[in-house]
Amino acid sequence: MNDDLKKIFNKANDKFLLSTKKMIYDDVSERCLCSELKTFLQEQLNNTIYKDYHIDNEYNRNCGHIKTTINGDMKEIVIQCDLIIHSRGENELQDNLIALEMKKSYQSEESKNKDRDRLCALTKGKHDRDTYSYDGKTFPRQVCGYRLGIYYEINKDEKSILIEYYANGRLIERYAKKIDNAGNKRIIY
């Protein structure tokens, strides 16, 4: 079901890695790297049925209020994803496509796991209309319904990236690849 979005992401990611590996090895910020990745994602989206979707870094359209989501323990989690692909509320049937969280490998496991938990929550379906209400006029307080969540971890020392895909509230695929071998498929998992 999400193979089309994974293909779009993988093509963009391969071009991103070839173009920005020096930036990665220089350990530039996640925000800077996400901005670069956004360019390659837009290029890929332009040739698909998703060409009218927007790619935003740390986007918040909720009148200055930080949006949240509900995790598996029914606890509220703050949302401020590194990168999202969405319709900015223009497509009520499928507003949210991809949520991406980028991390450096040296960051804490607690921080990494918070991002993973957020991706699980964001990719849950819109089954609970009381929690995830959207009437086309009022922005929802909680957000879900992303078709694909991507956890993206950069290890500059090993010159590799770890990619985890999330859908329907759970991890569905995990692999790593060498940065210098962009375009080649998975090396582990």
Side-chain angles (χ1 to χ4, degrees), residues 58-76:
E58 300 182 11
Y59 184 80
N60 182 24
R61 71 168 181 245
N62 201 16
C63 304
H65 301 284
I66 300 294
K67 285 190 179 179
T68 60
T69 191
I70 306 292
N71 72 7
D73 297 327
M74 295 306 291
K75 292 183 183 172
E76 220 172 37

Side-chain angles (χ1 to χ4, degrees), residues 9-19 177 181-184:
F9 175 76
N10 286 330
K11 284 180 183 180
N13 185 50
D14 286 343
K15 290 181 178 186
F16 164 76
L17 290 174
L18 288 171
S19 175
K177 66 193 297 180
N181 292 333
N184 294 340

Side-chain angles (χ1 to χ4, degrees), residues 22-174:
K22 182 176 181 339
M23 292 173 70
I24 292 170
Y25 299 154
D26 287 345
D27 202 23
V28 301
S29 72
E30 293 168 17
R31 188 173 292 158
C32 182
L33 292 172
C34 282
S35 179
E36 288 293 312
L37 179 56
K38 175 182 175 176
T39 303
F40 296 100
L41 281 167
Q42 189 65 63
E43 178 183 303
Q44 293 303 310
L45 282 181
N46 286 343
N47 301 314
T48 70
I49 61 171
Y50 308 112
K51 65 184 178 203
D52 294 329
Y53 280 79
H54 307 277
I55 305 169
D56 291 307
N57 298 83
E58 300 182 11
Y59 184 80
N60 182 24
R61 71 168 181 245
N62 201 16
C63 304
H65 301 284
I66 300 294
K67 285 190 179 179
T68 60
T69 191
I70 306 292
N71 72 7
D73 297 327
M74 295 306 291
K75 292 183 183 172
E76 220 172 37
I77 299 174
V78 171
I79 298 173
Q80 198 164 14
C81 292
D82 292 320
L83 195 86
I84 60 172
I85 300 176
H86 62 142
S87 76
R88 293 184 183 157
E90 296 165 6
N91 183 340
E92 185 178 337
L93 294 176
Q94 186 60 63
D95 183 28
N96 302 318
L97 293 181
I98 295 177
L100 181 138
E101 293 287 3
M102 186 180 284
K103 283 286 186 238
K104 303 287 182 85
S105 61
Y106 53 77
Q107 292 178 327
S108 74
E109 285 304 311
E110 180 183 2
S111 176
K112 293 175 188 179
N113 289 333
K114 281 183 179 181
D115 281 356
R116 289 176 170 120
D117 194 27
R118 183 178 303 113
L119 291 170
C120 284
L122 286 171
T123 59
K124 287 183 179 179
K126 297 180 183 181
H127 60 277
D128 185 348
R129 288 288 181 189
D130 292 332
T131 304
Y132 300 109
S133 62
Y134 180 73
D135 62 10
K137 299 174 190 143
T138 309
F139 292 119
R141 217 174 118 234
Q142 275 86 33
V143 179
C144 69
Y146 280 86
R147 283 190 42 203
L148 188 66
I150 302 171
Y151 175 80
Y152 193 96
E153 185 175 310
I154 299 169
N155 187 324
K156 75 175 185 85
D157 296 329
E158 292 185 15
K159 297 183 177 178
S160 67
I161 56 165
L162 170 68
I163 297 175
E164 296 175 353
Y165 291 115
Y166 292 81
N168 301 314
R170 63 183 179 82
L171 174 68
I172 59 168
E173 186 178 346
R174 178 181 197 201

